[in-house]
Amino acid sequence: MSRENERIERFYLGEMPLIKKLVEQMGWKEIFSRHLKAHGNERVPPVDALMMLLYNITGGRQPLYELGEWVWRLDPKVYGYQSRWKRDSINDDRFGRALDKLYWADRATMMTEIVVGMVKMHQLNLEQMHNDSTTVKAYGKISGTTRTGLKLTRGYSKDHRPDLKQLLYALTVSSDGAVPVHYKTYAGNTTDDTTHIETWNTLTGIIGHPSFLYVADCKVCTDKQLSHIVSRGGRVITIIPETWQETKIFKDEIKNKKKIRKIIWRRKIPGKEELNHQFEYFSSYQGQYRTAKRGYPYCWIYSSEKKKRDRENRITALKHTEKDLAGICGRLNTGKLKTPEAILDQVNQILKARGTERFFHVKIDPVQEKYSVQAGPGRPGSETRFKTIIKEIYALSSTRRQKELQEELKVDGIFPLLMTDPGLTAKEALVAYKYQPRLEKRFNLLKSILNVAPLLFKKIERVEAIMFLFFLALMIQALIERKVRMNMKAQKIKSLPLYPEHRLLFHPTTAKIFDRFEGVSYYHIKQGDKVVKTLRDELSDIHREILEVFDMSENEYWLKNHA
């Protein structure tokens, strides 16, 4: 057979079969099809375009203008076709118009169907829910307001970019694998302490009863939100803010007199589980504590690791404060720092920004500066008269308040934990609250792996629509991670060699699993339009081990059942 006219055609698979299996099991394409009607004259149905966009986001987002090339190099069986789409039929405009249709669809009903089906299929435990929010920044001018009130505005930026407009992204996950169950986008200047009532009401509808445990940060600690939830049979666990009088009273008591505490929990330090001798200890202070308003029960917790962090953070803040004050000293008596009032105002700004107002004595001393100048015009000579000028300038000095610093050491590592259910013990409430960092991991995944920011659209409606797809992508990542970890535990597999150089990973993440499948493809050797031979990359032992704990056969991975 002549090989002169042979050419090779590559079909990329990578992590796509894993995503495809999960999406097909939950019937998401069918749900999308019920809510997004096709016109019949479209070269690429909007549902198919949205599925491709979802797969792309889940695997690591590319810009819309690169999606056409990305889709074209995929195995067409990934998106349910036997042959590739034409290159000119998949472009950023097609994906944009698909997002427009998703925006006008009933996404609230779609999300309820998807979440309820997912919970039933994966037997997800919803008795403990965790809520928090983050901000997503945007570049360029994206004006307008959606029908749900979403708009990009400036506000408190959790990305430390106050110069950029943003939206607020609230997310709720279950304590069973940190799987996302609900999300909502708000205008960028929305504060966290106004979102919890709406979120809790929605979760009650999804779960079917109000008695689940709702865990959130201290922003839920407002009388309006707590009373709404508790009066309807809800239960809340949160941290009491530093601004509440209960916090100040207890810390003042601790500074003056020691209180008895009892160890209630010991755990390996997160991130250092492989080091058997590294433990964090939690103690609860003895006594019954209730809030001054409405009498909610709470307890005071001491953490050995938090004590170290508090001390280190304070030392760092003190050093930064002294450096900032030294910087002011070099600019005194110039520009806007010529009066005691202006100097003191600048000092107070520094102390407030660093949170060290209580730890410094600051003194501004007037100093007289004398110098002589010639009394009249002309060149100076033996008869020239001089006059003395006295000018008042200012010197800044600061010292640490050693007494306050010593007292602060006594309250390092303590925090008040509020639980509206009096039937919960301090340990039960603490264990529930300490799951909250798993939600922060989801935000890290959203921003660093799924690349949600920056938003680069021109229409605010498309921003709202794609945030729905980001929620689904988070759900896929969480479900894959949960399934793999559960099967590893059932099969007594402690770790997988997912790190470079086959180093062991004790808690596999979906991102690391996807990394191992990067580049896996199969190839057609063709003469003209005829396929004369098919080749494929060889799966390694780690590939097979991952597929086994994901309950996926090699035939399923190579999409042979879809041929």
Side-chain angles (χ1 to χ4, degrees):
M1 180 183 297
S2 174
R3 310 190 73 174
E4 292 182 1
N5 299 323
E6 286 185 354
R7 59 186 176 87
I8 188 166
E9 193 172 10
R10 181 186 182 189
F11 297 86
Y12 179 79
L13 283 174
E15 70 279 3
M16 291 299 126
L18 284 74
I19 300 172
K20 179 179 177 66
K21 178 177 180 178
L22 209 59
V23 171
E24 288 185 345
Q25 284 178 341
M26 294 186 287
W28 286 4
K29 187 173 181 178
E30 290 74 16
I31 294 175
F32 272 68
S33 298
R34 287 198 296 271
H35 292 271
L36 283 83
K37 301 301 181 183
H39 292 302
N41 61 347
E42 296 157 317
R43 295 173 65 183
V44 177
V47 171
D48 289 337
L50 291 171
M51 287 294 106
M52 282 301 94
L53 191 51
L54 174 61
Y55 286 15
N56 177 264
I57 291 172
T58 307
R61 177 190 177 197
Q62 278 83 30
L64 283 186
Y65 59 82
E66 293 183 2
L67 271 181
E69 186 63 30
W70 178 83
V71 171
W72 191 85
R73 69 189 182 96
L74 282 178
D75 179 357
K77 293 192 290 294
V78 168
Y79 43 89
Y81 288 74
Q82 293 302 313
S83 60
R84 284 172 164 164
W85 288 330
K86 293 182 178 179
R87 284 180 184 265
D88 61 352
S89 65
I90 42 177
N91 50 45
D92 55 350
D93 183 59
R94 186 171 301 283
F95 289 109
R97 283 185 273 118
L99 286 173
D100 290 337
K101 291 195 174 185
L102 179 59
Y103 169 76
W104 289 108
D106 185 1
R107 280 171 284 115
T109 301
M110 291 174 65
M111 183 170 71
T112 301
E113 288 184 33
I114 287 171
V115 169
V116 171
M118 178 271 296
V119 169
K120 184 177 180 180
M121 174 171 288
H122 293 271
Q123 299 181 341
L124 203 67
N125 187 342
L126 300 183
E127 291 307 307
Q128 182 177 313
M129 309 299 292
H130 293 257
N131 176 269
D132 202 355
S133 65
T134 189
T135 54
V136 180
K137 61 180 181 288
Y139 291 164
K141 183 179 180 181
I142 309 176
S143 57
T145 305
T146 68
R147 54 182 177 161
T148 61
L150 176 65
K151 60 181 178 180
L152 298 180
T153 59
R154 289 185 176 87
Y156 176 72
S157 174
K158 299 179 182 181
D159 293 319
H160 309 290
R161 288 300 303 270
D163 57 312
L164 297 178
K165 291 185 177 181
Q166 63 185 20
L167 59 81
L168 184 73
Y169 188 83
L171 181 68
T172 305
V173 303
S174 74
S175 63
D176 185 3
V179 178
V181 173
H182 175 264
Y183 89 102
K184 183 68 184 292
T185 52
Y186 298 91
N189 58 357
T190 305
T191 55
D192 293 349
D193 57 4
T194 61
T195 63
H196 290 284
I197 291 177
E198 180 183 7
T199 299
W200 185 84
N201 288 340
T202 304
L203 291 174
T204 300
I206 293 173
I207 298 172
H209 63 83
S211 61
F212 62 91
L213 203 55
Y214 185 73
V215 186
D217 64 11
C218 64
K219 296 299 191 300
V220 74
C221 238
T222 65
D223 182 60
K224 180 179 179 180
Q225 295 183 126
L226 287 177
S227 60
H228 176 91
I229 296 172
V230 174
S231 64
R232 288 161 176 78
R235 302 183 298 157
V236 180
I237 292 179
T238 185
I239 295 291
I240 295 179
E242 289 287 332
T243 54
W244 282 31
Q245 62 175 340
E246 289 88 344
T247 302
K248 184 179 184 305
I249 292 173
F250 185 84
K251 287 188 174 181
D252 287 343
E253 292 176 355
I254 287 288
K255 290 176 182 179
N256 296 322
K257 183 181 178 181
K258 287 186 177 181
K259 288 182 175 288
I260 300 174
R261 62 176 187 249
K262 180 182 178 182
I263 294 177
I264 58 173
W265 188 29
R266 186 186 78 160
R267 68 169 183 177
K268 291 183 178 180
I269 298 175
K272 300 180 181 179
E273 290 86 348
E274 65 276 11
L275 303 177
N276 295 325
H277 62 285
Q278 297 284 346
F279 289 95
E280 180 177 12
Y281 294 85
F282 295 93
S283 302
S284 175
Y285 284 89
Q286 293 187 5
Q288 299 292 326
Y289 302 95
R290 288 188 174 269
T291 59
K293 192 170 187 179
R294 299 191 185 272
Y296 298 127
Y298 68 97
C299 58
W300 280 95
I301 304 294
Y302 167 84
S303 162
S304 59
E305 286 299 304
K306 186 177 186 299
K307 179 179 181 179
K308 297 176 186 177
R309 292 194 299 270
D310 288 346
R311 189 166 301 182
E312 291 170 359
N313 291 340
R314 185 169 57 253
I315 291 173
T316 301
L318 292 173
K319 290 180 178 178
H320 283 307
T321 302
E322 289 172 338
K323 182 179 179 180
D324 293 342
L325 293 177
I328 285 184
C329 291
R331 296 185 287 115
L332 291 181
N333 308 301
T334 62
K336 297 181 180 180
L337 299 177
K338 294 182 178 179
T339 65
E341 294 77 14
I343 297 170
L344 185 60
D345 181 64
Q346 186 71 25
V347 168
N348 289 335
Q349 289 183 32
I350 291 174
L351 296 179
K352 184 177 180 180
R354 298 296 183 184
T356 53
E357 302 102 312
R358 296 177 292 120
F359 305 137
F360 279 95
H361 284 292
V362 177
K363 189 177 181 182
I364 301 174
D365 295 311
V367 179
Q368 288 188 343
E369 186 180 63
K370 296 182 180 180
Y371 58 94
S372 298
V373 298
Q374 186 173 317
R379 299 181 65 180
S382 59
E383 301 296 329
T384 301
R385 297 176 57 191
F386 291 86
K387 60 181 179 181
T388 300
I389 302 295
I390 300 176
K391 181 181 178 181
E392 189 171 68
I393 60 175
Y394 301 96
L396 175 66
S397 61
S398 63
T399 56
R400 295 185 181 184
R401 297 176 184 263
Q402 296 300 328
K403 181 180 178 182
E404 281 76 3
L405 289 171
Q406 287 297 320
E407 290 181 345
E408 197 67 16
L409 292 174
K410 299 177 182 178
V411 297
D412 283 345
I414 68 172
F415 59 94
L417 190 61
L418 182 145
M419 55 278 200
T420 60
D421 181 2
L424 289 174
T425 65
K427 181 180 179 179
E428 290 171 339
L430 177 63
V431 171
Y433 184 78
K434 282 301 177 179
Y435 195 86
Q436 193 76 354
R438 293 286 298 275
L439 175 52
E440 296 293 337
K441 291 289 186 181
R442 293 290 173 242
F443 287 142
N444 180 64
L445 169 64
L446 180 69
K447 294 183 178 183
S448 63
I449 304 298
L450 305 186
N451 300 315
V452 66
L455 299 169
L456 298 170
F457 292 90
K458 294 182 179 179
K459 294 183 179 180
I460 187 65
E461 293 82 4
R462 292 180 179 181
V463 170
E464 183 171 302
I466 202 170
M467 296 310 294
F468 179 75
L469 297 183
F470 275 107
F471 168 72
L472 298 183
L474 276 176
M475 188 185 296
I476 293 171
Q477 289 249 352
L479 288 172
I480 292 175
E481 179 183 293
R482 175 179 179 268
K483 187 171 186 176
V484 168
R485 293 185 180 185
M486 287 177 63
N487 285 342
M488 285 176 61
K489 184 176 181 180
Q491 299 174 29
K492 298 182 179 180
I493 301 172
K494 292 185 177 181
S495 61
L496 292 174
L498 298 182
Y499 280 133
E501 301 173 349
H502 300 286
R503 288 180 288 122
L504 298 179
L505 179 58
F506 291 88
H507 304 287
T509 63
T510 303
K512 292 300 181 185
I513 291 171
F514 285 179
D515 285 347
R516 301 304 278 174
F517 285 93
E518 176 68 26
V520 177
S521 309
Y522 72 90
Y523 311 86
H524 281 169
I525 298 176
K526 305 178 77 174
Q527 283 188 338
D529 294 331
K530 183 180 179 182
V531 178
V532 297
K533 193 172 185 180
T534 299
L535 304 173
R536 66 187 186 191
D537 293 330
E538 184 178 355
L539 295 181
S540 66
D541 291 339
I542 182 58
H543 288 139
R544 295 187 180 90
E545 191 170 4
I546 293 171
L547 292 178
E548 183 179 352
V549 293
F550 187 63
D551 293 332
M552 189 176 198
S553 67
E554 287 192 47
N555 283 341
E556 285 181 294
Y557 178 79
W558 292 112
L559 303 179
K560 288 190 174 182
N561 296 334
H562 296 267

